[in-house]
Structure formats: C-alpha cells, structure tokens
Amino acid sequence: MENEFDLEQLEEMTDGDPELKKEIIEAFFECGDECLTDLEQSITGENLAWKEKAHALKGIALNFGATRVAELSASAEEAWEISIEEKGKLFIEIQTAYNSARAYFS
C-alpha cells in the first residue's frame, strides 16, 4: 500500500483534521469517478480525448496522493496514440488501482 499512496501529503493537506480528511477523500472519489468514466468512454474515441482524460485523472490523483493511479494515468497520457486494445488494458490497470484506493479509504 505504501507504494500506492502518499499519505503524508493527505495529512499535510488536512493538518490531521479528520473531518477535512473525510471531505477531501469524498471529493477525490467524486471527481475521480467522473474522470474514470470519461477515460473509459474515450477508449474508442479520439486519441486526444484519451490524452486529456488521462491528464485530468493524473492531476486529481497527484493532488490526493494516489501515486499508483497517477503513475498509470501518466502512462496513459504519454501513450495517447496506442491501439484501442492497449488502451483497454491500460484502463483496466488504472481502474484496478483506483478501486484499490477506494477500498483502502473505505
């Protein structure tokens, strides 16, 4: 788990305030769910849309400290011209890391 998250960043953002931490976690998953859905929908669409959606998810994950999601999203952003099949495989990896984060913080 320690490779998947930068928990120090979350603690710094919240200054140890459990209510603020809860709000930030909820906001991350609310925005993250939308980004993940958009990324999945862009698999068969324009490559530029895939790149933009991966970039958005990367940014949200970096701000939250979900390092594994951010790393995979960065890979998706950089490899924006890969095949639909490769995008599908990469999306599953991103989704798995995201679901791991959800399970961890639930």
Side-chain angles (χ1 to χ4, degrees), residues 14 27 37 61 74 83 93-94 104:
T14 61
T37 297
S83 71
E93 286 184 65
I94 294 168
Y104 182 79

Side-chain angles (χ1 to χ4, degrees), residues 6-18 21 64:
D6 180 356
L7 298 178
E8 287 180 26
Q9 182 173 335
L10 184 58
E11 288 301 317
E12 285 178 22
M13 287 172 51
T14 61
D15 200 26
D17 181 336
K21 187 175 182 179
F64 180 72

Side-chain angles (χ1 to χ4, degrees), residues 8-99:
E8 287 180 26
Q9 182 173 335
L10 184 58
E11 288 301 317
E12 285 178 22
M13 287 172 51
T14 61
D15 200 26
D17 181 336
E19 281 301 311
L20 183 56
K21 187 175 182 179
K22 181 180 176 190
E23 288 176 27
I24 289 175
I25 290 169
E26 288 173 1
F28 167 71
F29 287 113
E30 184 177 311
C31 293
D33 288 349
E34 185 177 321
C35 282
L36 200 63
T37 297
D38 290 347
L39 184 63
E40 182 177 30
Q41 291 173 350
S42 72
I43 290 172
T44 58
E46 294 290 323
N47 284 339
L48 190 54
W50 167 266
K51 182 179 182 176
E52 290 171 353
K53 302 309 178 185
H55 178 78
L57 184 57
K58 177 186 76 174
I60 290 168
L62 281 173
N63 287 333
F64 180 72
T67 54
R68 182 70 181 141
V69 174
E71 289 169 0
L72 290 167
S73 297
S75 294
E77 180 184 15
E78 292 168 12
W80 59 284
E81 295 183 297
I82 59 178
S83 71
I84 291 172
E85 181 179 290
E86 291 171 305
K87 285 179 185 174
K89 289 177 184 176
L90 186 51
F91 175 79
I92 290 170
E93 286 184 65
I94 294 168
Q95 186 177 46
T96 299
Y98 184 83
N99 289 337

